[in-house]
Amino acid sequence: QVQLVESGGASVEPGGSLRHSCAASGIIFSSHSNVMGWFRQAPGKERELVATITNNGRTNYDNSVEGRFTISRDDAKNTVNLQMISLKPEDTASYYCYTKTRLTSREYWGQGTQVTVSS
C-alpha cells in the first residue's frame, strides 16, 4: 500500500519560511516514480500545482512561487521536500504531496498539511 505523509505545515508571519517534507512508503521514488511534486488548495479554490521534480531532476514551478520555493528530492530518505521562503498571505493553503508512477501512471496523494501565512 502506497502512502505519502507530509510534514512541515504551520502558521507563520508574512516573510517567514517553512520546509515541507513528504515521506513515501510502499513506493520508492527513485525507482517507481517519474514525477513528484507539491500542489496546494486554498479554501474555495481548485487544487493547483506548486512545483514538480522529475526522476531525472528537472524542476518546474508555478509562476507565483518561482524564486521563493525550492523543490528537492532525497533518494536516500525516499522523500521529496519543499523549501518555502518569503511567504505571503496568498500562500495560505493546504499543501499536498503527489507522485505519478512510471509504469502505470497511477497517481498518489498525501493527506495534506496546512500552511497559514498571516500577521
Side-chain angles (χ1 to χ4, degrees):
Q1 182 178 358
V2 175
Q3 283 191 314
L4 304 179
V5 180
E6 303 102 335
S7 61
S11 294
V12 298
E13 293 185 348
S17 301
L18 283 174
R19 179 179 174 86
H20 287 322
S21 184
C22 173
S25 60
I27 190 172
I28 299 174
F29 283 142
S30 60
S31 300
H32 301 137
S33 297
N34 62 6
V35 64
M36 296 140 281
W38 291 90
F39 286 69
R40 67 186 179 186
Q41 186 168 19
K45 295 187 177 181
E46 293 187 355
R47 190 171 295 188
E48 62 179 10
L49 180 145
V50 175
T52 59
I53 184 167
T54 65
N55 204 42
N56 61 10
R58 187 173 62 191
T59 58
N60 180 56
Y61 296 92
D62 182 76
N63 287 340
S64 66
V65 306
E66 184 87 51
R68 298 188 299 121
F69 291 11
T70 303
I71 190 170
S72 62
R73 289 164 42 201
D74 187 333
D75 290 343
K77 296 181 179 179
N78 202 30
T79 61
V80 59
N81 308 302
L82 185 70
Q83 179 69 47
M84 307 184 293
I85 65 171
S86 301
L87 283 162
K88 304 175 181 180
E90 51 263 43
D91 295 319
T92 295
S94 292
Y95 284 71
Y96 296 89
C97 180
Y98 163 88
T99 191
K100 179 186 286 187
T101 59
R102 181 181 300 164
L103 293 180
T104 63
S105 296
R106 184 166 178 177
E107 298 178 324
Y108 295 95
W109 295 89
Q111 81 286 354
T113 184
Q114 179 66 35
V115 171
T116 302
V117 185
S118 70
S119 54

